[in-house]
Amino acid sequence: MFITLEGPEGGGKTWHVKPLAEFLRQRGHAVLTTREPGGTPIGDQIRQVLHRLDNTAMNPRTESLLFQAARAQLVEQIIRPHLAAGGVVLSDRYADSTLAYQGYGHGLPLEQLTSIIGFATGGLKPDLTLLLDLDVEIGLNRKVKSGEWNRLDAYTVEFHRRVRAGFHALCQADPARWVIIDASQPIEAVQEAIRQVVMARL
Ligand SMILES: Nc1ncnc2c1ncn2[C@@H]1O[C@H](COP(=O)(O)OP(=O)(O)OP(=O)(O)O)[C@@H](O)[C@H]1O
Ligand SMILES: [Mg+2]
């Protein structure tokens, strides 16, 4: 089973991966966790280029292609082999982030993005996607406090509002795959909600 965590900045995607993985391992599942962009040595080098605050000249198309390059490597090297061996893969972001950020955020054509995503992933789609949803200002404030601030976080609040609306549109277009989790709740309540959804699907 391939599970992805998606949503606007500061929803807790990165935080929740580890306790969820531990919870599933205790129940006997072989769990592999990964993150985007990155998750492989080559992908982590691309991640640095994408996140560097001084790369302000980056064109949205360049950004889109770098994300797909990292993703292609991750799918082939890590995700597909683990799924083929019968394991569970938990990914901190995946292809829906391209549609939300580069599509809804930057305004690039969704059909073209869908096409390069298909090329990068060879058509691999998640079985379940959790949308950790919250007001963008609350999420960005959490990020500021945490001290983790990258080039993409630094886009305008308006950009992040379009991204959040984009996630909702993606969710409505494929309701069988998506589950919305209220990420404004206390962190333990969010983790509990995530566990319940995942256990029901497994
Ligand atoms: N429910 C919560 N309540 C309060 N703080 C939280 C909650 N969830 C996460 N945080 C804190 O908010 C900060 C951002 O969380 P995290 O990095 O996991 O978000 P993220 O969704 O991965 O963000 P990004 O999209 O930017 O990668 C962290 O310091 C985390 O501890
Ligand atoms: Mg994160």
Side-chain angles (χ1 to χ4, degrees), residues 46-61:
I46 298 171
R47 179 185 180 92
Q48 287 183 17
V49 177
L50 280 162
H51 282 181
R52 276 180 67 136
L53 282 161
D54 59 355
N55 277 339
T56 50
M58 193 175 301
N59 181 276
R61 287 197 187 82

Side-chain angles (χ1 to χ4, degrees), residues 184-202:
S184 69
Q185 305 173 83
I187 210 157
E188 296 79 15
V190 176
Q191 175 66 205
E192 185 52 37
I194 290 173
R195 288 179 181 185
Q196 282 184 13
V197 170
V198 170
M199 288 312 286
R201 292 292 177 106
L202 277 169

Side-chain angles (χ1 to χ4, degrees), residues 2-3 17 20-21 24 31-35 88-92:
F2 180 24
I3 302 169
V17 164
L20 177 61
L24 294 174
V31 183
L32 185 143
T33 66
T34 189
R35 68 169 184 185
V88 174
V89 174
L90 295 182
S91 188
D92 176 359

Side-chain angles (χ1 to χ4, degrees), residues 68-200:
Q68 303 326 305
R71 183 168 296 145
Q73 193 65 30
L74 179 66
V75 167
E76 278 315 300
Q77 194 179 335
I78 306 282
I79 299 180
R80 279 194 194 276
H82 194 76
L83 292 175
V88 174
V89 174
L90 295 182
S91 188
D92 176 359
R93 295 195 182 277
Y94 186 63
D96 296 300
S97 281
T98 292
L99 297 170
Y101 283 75
Q102 284 73 45
Y104 290 91
H106 286 312
L108 292 180
L110 293 173
E111 325 75 70
Q112 291 181 10
L113 291 172
T114 302
S115 161
I116 62 168
I117 289 167
F119 179 72
T121 62
L124 180 69
K125 291 191 175 140
D127 300 297
L128 171 64
T129 300
L130 302 165
L131 174 55
L132 300 195
D133 187 47
L134 83 173
D135 179 84
V136 300
E137 269 111 343
I138 298 173
L140 289 169
N141 271 331
R142 285 182 186 172
K143 292 291 293 187
V144 172
K145 280 194 201 146
S146 76
E148 275 184 50
W149 192 254
N150 66 49
R151 191 181 59 84
L152 296 143
D153 297 320
Y155 285 137
T156 64
V157 172
E158 277 314 311
F159 174 90
H160 289 290
R161 287 213 183 91
R162 291 196 295 279
V163 168
R164 184 187 183 195
F167 278 121
H168 280 269
L170 293 168
C171 189
Q172 275 165 19
D174 192 2
R177 172 163 67 90
W178 289 80
V179 175
I180 302 181
I181 307 277
D182 175 5
S184 69
Q185 305 173 83
I187 210 157
E188 296 79 15
V190 176
Q191 175 66 205
E192 185 52 37
I194 290 173
R195 288 179 181 185
Q196 282 184 13
V197 170
V198 170
M199 288 312 286

